[in-house]
Amino acid sequence: MNTAVKASNGLKLTDILVTIVIAVVFGLVYKIWGPAYDLVKPLGLNAEQWVYGMWFMAGTFAYLIIRKPGVAILAEVAAATVSAFLGSEWGMSTLYYGFLQGLGAELFFAAFLYRNANLWVTSLAAAGSAIASLILDFSYGYIDQLSTWNYVLYVGFRMIGSIVIAGVFAFYLAKALEVTGVTRTLRPATEQDYKGLD
């Protein structure tokens, strides 16, 4: 996969439409993921945090496909909107989470000037989404009463799960799409793209 990306002049209509399609797919996944998240809880203390990263994947995956500024935020907000309209158990707060999680990812892509789409940057963006979600969790009072050791587990598990799912898994899923040539119509292939496939 391309590790050096040149950011072009903003989003085109095609970019927005593809991002929305990705977001709709992930919005459906997010809705399904809610019960799956609850099924993991009995496996151990904070075990559900290992799978929390799925809710950050729309932003990182969409960026890996489109590779333009604003895509991570747009994808997360749109996916959260779909999830909310499908009856998300978290109601309209899903939209706040979507925006902040997209922003968390976007900040890391921006820190590398939107020129990197490698595994390291994608994992950092996933961690950025996790940090943003934790800020909202704290502001809603979901985690402010945890003991220190429990808080460390909670945060640690969410960070690791986020990096694995929204970072590593998203990266390799996008890389698999690169190999099929599906993304060729979205952006021209560069020499770096071909080197990244080796």
Side-chain angles (χ1 to χ4, degrees):
M1 175 171 291
N2 184 3
T3 56
V5 180
K6 289 184 180 177
S8 61
N9 299 335
L11 295 172
K12 297 176 184 171
L13 180 59
T14 306
D15 302 326
I16 294 169
L17 292 175
V18 170
T19 302
I20 296 299
V21 168
I22 291 169
V24 167
V25 171
F26 277 102
L28 294 168
V29 170
Y30 290 178
K31 175 59 182 151
I32 295 165
W33 203 249
Y37 172 80
D38 290 332
L39 287 173
V40 177
K41 287 182 179 182
L43 298 179
L45 184 63
N46 297 320
E48 73 280 2
Q49 298 307 310
W50 289 104
V51 298
Y52 201 98
M54 180 56 78
W55 283 301
F56 312 144
M57 199 168 153
T60 55
F61 182 76
Y63 174 76
L64 290 168
I65 299 301
I66 305 296
R67 299 184 193 171
K68 289 187 178 179
V71 167
I73 292 176
L74 175 60
E76 277 295 328
V77 169
T81 302
V82 170
S83 179
F85 280 126
L86 290 175
S88 168
E89 48 268 57
W90 295 282
M92 293 310 287
S93 68
T94 305
L95 300 179
Y96 301 130
Y97 275 93
F99 175 75
L100 280 181
Q101 289 164 186
L103 180 62
E106 196 77 41
L107 290 174
F108 280 96
F109 292 131
F112 289 88
L113 305 176
Y114 298 100
R115 292 186 180 158
N116 261 318
N118 62 27
L119 181 58
W120 170 246
V121 173
T122 306
S123 296
L124 286 174
S129 291
I131 291 166
S133 72
L134 287 163
I135 291 168
L136 263 181
D137 280 1
F138 193 81
S139 71
Y140 277 124
Y142 297 154
I143 57 174
D144 60 342
Q145 302 299 319
L146 296 178
S147 59
T148 303
W149 67 269
N150 198 353
Y151 188 73
V152 169
L153 280 179
Y154 188 95
V155 171
F157 289 173
R158 183 173 299 182
M159 293 297 285
I160 293 167
S162 300
I163 290 168
V164 169
I165 296 172
V168 176
F169 181 65
F171 177 82
Y172 284 106
L173 182 60
K175 187 172 183 176
L177 281 179
E178 292 270 346
V179 172
T180 66
V182 170
T183 59
R184 212 172 298 141
T185 58
L186 302 175
R187 56 186 156 68
T190 66
E191 186 63 32
Q192 287 287 356
D193 285 323
Y194 293 114
K195 286 180 184 176
L197 296 174
D198 294 331

